[in-house]
Amino acid sequence: MKMIRNRFGSLSRVSAQLQRHVQQMSTNAAAAPAEGATINEFRTAVSNPGEHSALQVAKFYSIPAEQKKQIFSGGGLPKQYEQQIKTFTEACLMVRNPALELLQYIKNGDLTKPVVRYVLYGENGTGKTLTMAHVLHYGALNDFLLVHVPWAPNWMKRPKEASNAAGQEGMIDLPFDAAAWLVHFKTQNGPLLQRLQLKTGKEYVWSKRESTPAGSSLIELVEHGIARIKYASETTAALIAELKQLSTAGQCKVMVAIDGFNAFFHPVTRIFSDNKQLVTPDRVTLTQPFLDITNYDWTNGVCILSVDKIAMTEGYMDSYMPRYLLGKEGFEHLDPFVPIHVENYTDKEFQSYISYYLDRHWINKTPQGFDEQLKFMSNKNPYSLMQLVRAL
């Protein structure tokens, strides 16, 4: 009888161990996708751009909602991409070689030297804006103050309001666009500005009754421009001048990112002067401050600029090369610079893109060979592909 009880006890212990082992296997299976699962093919869990490498190429990574809101609430992502983010309830970017190349240059660069200008170029729709967005995410996470212009051609083609600049004869002011940009700057950099507590180096007199004394915080300067729209353009110029001085003094580091930079060198804008003549970009008050900060006369910063055919108007879209789009004056302004060519998807990136949209149920119709048809019709151009899958 005693022997039977011992054996029964041994069996009970073995049974309990087996149950624990099975539970552990179930937990592990739930926590990690099965080997060869589709998610491993087009997603990466590495969400910090500073840790991206060749291992993550052609994979999507997620930007947390609060970071996406802080960095891109004022622009920086294509409108159709924004719509997809709302539909999918997640913000995902594909890790691509142009962004990795640019990040590698920035991480290995010497910030004590004059700023290096990087120029993104390529055909329409190849992903220059999203490459810039990837690098902006890196900058925000690594304590760069962001000086970001989401799409410079909007100022030259579709300004909210244009008026004669007070005290600057022949100049055109865009006060509402300047105020909107200051709001964007404050949203992107508010927490970092609070932490750094940067101060102005001189007094700014706006009128007989209004001034910003030396030693005021940069946040006070920004808020003045937002509250007093009349002085928004002057405030923007003052802010950028202060950032250059503070950065050179080592009190902060600055990342300049301007999409459609060649708009500053277009022969004409779509803004009319009082005599009904189209004005040139150099007569717009917002132009000079952003040309100043893309000079190489300051340190502790980096400039990422894109040139784009659609930043131009009809008759000026024959080539996507920087020399053509910038013109002689713009090319000389940036020379020397580091060109970054953004091309169409590779085969691996194309397949990753299709897998992601199948996973999100954005593509519902999948007849045999549909992916090859999409590849042929889009020529693996990211924007063309995005347009085509809308109907699937």
Side-chain angles (χ1 to χ4, degrees):
M1 193 71 175
K2 184 177 180 181
M3 184 173 64
I4 292 173
R5 283 199 300 270
N6 288 340
R7 286 184 177 179
F8 182 76
S10 299
L11 285 171
S12 298
R13 287 192 296 274
V14 170
S15 176
Q17 289 174 357
L18 282 170
Q19 286 178 352
R20 285 195 298 271
H21 184 63
V22 169
Q23 288 173 353
Q24 185 177 2
M25 289 177 64
S26 300
T27 303
N28 291 341
E35 186 177 353
T38 307
I39 191 168
N40 291 331
E41 296 174 5
F42 63 89
R43 284 187 188 271
T44 175
V46 181
S47 60
N48 184 346
E51 298 175 5
H52 289 160
S53 68
L55 295 174
Q56 286 81 37
V57 167
K59 293 188 177 184
F60 286 87
Y61 83 97
S62 296
I63 303 176
E66 64 277 6
Q67 293 176 14
K68 188 261 177 187
K69 183 179 179 181
Q70 177 186 343
I71 303 169
F72 301 111
S73 61
L77 297 173
K79 287 184 179 179
Q80 191 172 324
Y81 212 82
E82 283 277 14
Q83 292 170 359
Q84 288 188 4
I85 288 171
K86 291 178 182 177
T87 303
F88 299 158
T89 65
E90 64 173 5
C92 283
L93 288 179
M94 184 188 288
V95 179
R96 301 186 65 196
N97 277 318
L100 288 182
E101 180 185 355
L102 188 46
L103 289 171
Q104 195 66 25
Y105 290 150
I106 293 171
K107 285 187 283 189
N108 293 334
D110 185 355
L111 293 180
T112 64
K113 305 294 184 184
V115 292
V116 179
R117 285 78 59 85
Y118 301 96
V119 176
L120 301 170
Y121 72 101
E123 274 289 1
N124 290 344
T126 53
K128 298 181 288 294
T129 298
L130 292 180
T131 298
M132 185 175 286
H134 193 167
V135 180
L136 277 169
H137 188 203
Y138 167 83
L141 295 181
N142 287 273
D143 292 341
F144 280 89
L145 283 172
L146 304 181
V147 177
H148 175 219
V149 180
W151 188 237
N154 281 342
W155 295 343
M156 307 301 164
K157 294 182 179 182
R158 294 171 290 274
K160 293 178 171 63
E161 181 181 296
S163 59
N164 291 324
Q168 300 181 65
E169 187 177 351
M171 298 294 287
I172 300 296
D173 197 12
L174 309 179
F176 287 94
D177 291 282
W181 184 82
L182 289 170
V183 171
H184 181 52
F185 177 86
K186 182 183 176 184
T187 303
Q188 286 184 319
N189 301 293
L192 183 57
L193 287 173
Q194 291 282 5
R195 183 149 45 94
L196 295 176
Q197 289 296 307
L198 301 172
K199 307 293 184 183
T200 58
K202 68 174 187 177
E203 181 184 17
Y204 293 94
V205 179
W206 313 110
S207 66
K208 291 181 179 179
R209 297 183 179 180
E210 293 177 276
S211 66
T212 300
S216 300
S217 70
L218 282 195
I219 293 179
E220 290 178 59
L221 182 64
V222 171
E223 288 176 343
H224 174 269
I226 296 170
R228 299 286 286 128
I229 292 177
K230 177 181 178 181
Y231 303 113
S233 294
E234 293 177 66
T235 303
T236 299
L239 172 65
I240 286 177
E242 289 288 345
L243 287 174
K244 287 179 68 174
Q245 292 176 8
L246 291 165
S247 181
T248 302
Q251 296 185 44
C252 63
K253 52 184 181 177
V254 176
M255 177 178 284
V256 180
I258 303 177
D259 205 358
F261 180 75
N262 52 307
F264 290 125
F265 297 97
H266 194 280
V268 291
T269 68
R270 289 180 179 167
I271 304 170
F272 287 93
S273 63
D274 286 342
N275 59 5
K276 304 301 180 185
Q277 297 293 315
L278 290 171
V279 302
T280 52
D282 61 304
R283 289 180 57 191
V284 177
T285 52
L286 282 177
T287 297
Q288 195 56 47
F290 290 97
L291 293 186
D292 287 344
I293 204 168
T294 52
N295 266 322
Y296 56 85
D297 57 352
W298 58 288
T299 61
N300 220 28
V302 61
C303 293
I304 301 110
L305 316 168
S306 80
V307 293
D308 205 309
K309 285 200 289 188
I310 58 174
M312 312 298 277
T313 54
E314 296 75 13
Y316 298 94
M317 299 181 176
D318 294 336
S319 171
Y320 64 80
M321 299 301 288
R323 175 63 181 86
Y324 174 82
L325 292 174
L326 288 165
K328 183 176 183 293
E329 183 185 356
F331 192 85
E332 290 177 352
H333 174 78
L334 290 181
D335 190 39
F337 62 85
V338 179
I340 308 286
H341 191 191
V342 184
E343 301 182 79
N344 287 335
Y345 283 147
T346 63
D347 285 337
K348 184 179 180 181
E349 290 171 340
F350 175 85
Q351 291 301 331
S352 179
Y353 177 94
I354 297 298
S355 297
Y356 177 73
Y357 280 81
L358 285 170
D359 177 71
R360 296 285 90 193
H361 303 292
W362 190 248
I363 299 177
N364 292 316
K365 300 173 186 177
T366 56
Q368 187 175 3
F370 82 98
D371 52 344
E372 289 299 322
Q373 292 179 29
L374 286 172
K375 184 185 292 187
F376 174 77
M377 294 171 66
S378 67
N379 195 31
K380 296 184 289 187
N381 178 272
Y383 180 77
S384 298
L385 188 56
M386 192 186 298
Q387 293 290 95
L388 287 168
V389 299
R390 293 174 68 185
L392 297 178

